[in-house]
Amino acid sequence: MIAARPRRRLLLLRRRQAAARLLGVLWLACVAAEGVAGGEPPLKCDELRLGQYPESDPKIDNSTQEPLNCTNHTANVPCRPAPNITCKDHSGNENNFTGKEVGFYKPIACRNVNGYSYKVAVALSLFLGWLGADRFYLGYPALGLLKFCTVGFCGIGSLIDFILISMQIVGPSDGSSYIIDYYGARLTRLSITNETFRKTQMYP
């Protein structure tokens, strides 16, 4: 009887150790499951970095020389993530892309045009500017009539208008932009607005 008690105690100790190990394994499994379920959500395709999707040129409308479906100075260009990239597409579905599917649409800036060609305006100003044809074409009939009556302000007004139109300072009267080749000589005016500011110069 005396020798049987230590054996029972030894068996009970081993059983407790086995139960403790089993509980430890179960706890680790639960922690791992929570880590998988509560991990970071899948990345949205429009949050990909530049190297994770190739840049694609927009489709250009031949009549306007602007990207297709340009509304409110914005056009959406389809972007295709690189192969083996997993992210949520524009519909909210998580996909593993092969490089051929559209993942998201990237907004790009475009211009509002209304049928006024830059080449035509420059040609009219160069050859018929002394008759005011350039001003009539751009929608300034009063100035066009004045140039016609004064023979382009004796040639001085014609020269000034040619420079202003060539530099795209004078544009159509309705506020639209010239139709210029999409990869042509376009000028961008720089200005300071609420979205831009000047940094103070730090002098040594």
Side-chain angles (χ1 to χ4, degrees):
M1 295 292 294
I2 299 175
R5 289 180 180 177
R7 290 180 182 177
R8 290 180 181 177
R9 291 178 181 177
L10 185 60
L11 290 175
L12 289 174
L13 183 60
R14 290 180 179 176
R15 289 177 182 176
R16 289 177 182 177
Q17 290 177 352
R21 291 176 183 174
L22 181 60
L23 289 176
V25 172
L26 292 175
W27 180 78
L28 289 175
C30 292
V31 170
E34 288 179 0
V36 173
E40 295 183 359
L43 188 68
K44 294 182 179 179
C45 292
D46 55 0
E47 297 176 353
L48 294 176
R49 297 182 179 180
L50 187 59
Q52 294 178 324
Y53 64 92
E55 281 284 345
S56 57
D57 294 331
K59 293 183 179 180
I60 306 302
D61 188 351
N62 292 328
S63 61
T64 63
Q65 285 299 311
E66 293 295 325
L68 291 174
N69 302 322
C70 176
T71 55
N72 297 327
H73 302 281
T74 304
N76 294 319
V77 179
C79 295
R80 295 170 174 82
N84 298 325
I85 293 291
T86 301
C87 60
K88 285 187 176 181
D89 59 9
H90 58 280
S91 301
N93 300 323
E94 183 178 353
N95 292 326
N96 187 10
F97 292 89
T98 61
K100 299 180 180 179
E101 304 89 348
V102 176
F104 66 100
Y105 290 89
K106 181 179 180 180
I108 61 173
C110 59
R111 306 184 312 161
N112 177 31
V113 296
N114 199 16
Y116 295 96
S117 173
Y118 175 69
K119 295 179 181 178
V120 173
V122 171
L124 289 176
S125 181
L126 179 62
F127 298 108
L128 298 176
W130 57 279
L131 293 176
D134 51 353
R135 288 288 181 169
F136 281 114
Y137 175 73
L138 294 176
Y140 303 98
L143 287 175
L145 183 61
L146 189 60
K147 286 179 69 176
F148 178 78
C149 295
T150 59
V151 192
F153 297 106
C154 297
I156 299 175
S158 300
L159 178 61
I160 294 174
D161 272 354
F162 175 72
I163 295 173
L164 294 178
I165 292 174
S166 299
M167 296 181 64
Q168 302 175 25
I169 297 175
V170 172
S173 61
D174 59 358
S176 61
S177 300
Y178 287 114
I179 296 178
I180 307 175
D181 293 340
Y182 187 75
Y183 297 102
R186 297 186 174 193
L187 299 180
T188 302
R189 297 179 183 177
L190 301 179
S191 60
I192 298 176
T193 62
N194 291 333
E195 298 179 356
T196 60
F197 61 92
R198 291 184 178 181
K199 292 184 177 180
T200 57
Q201 297 292 328
M202 302 298 294
Y203 296 99

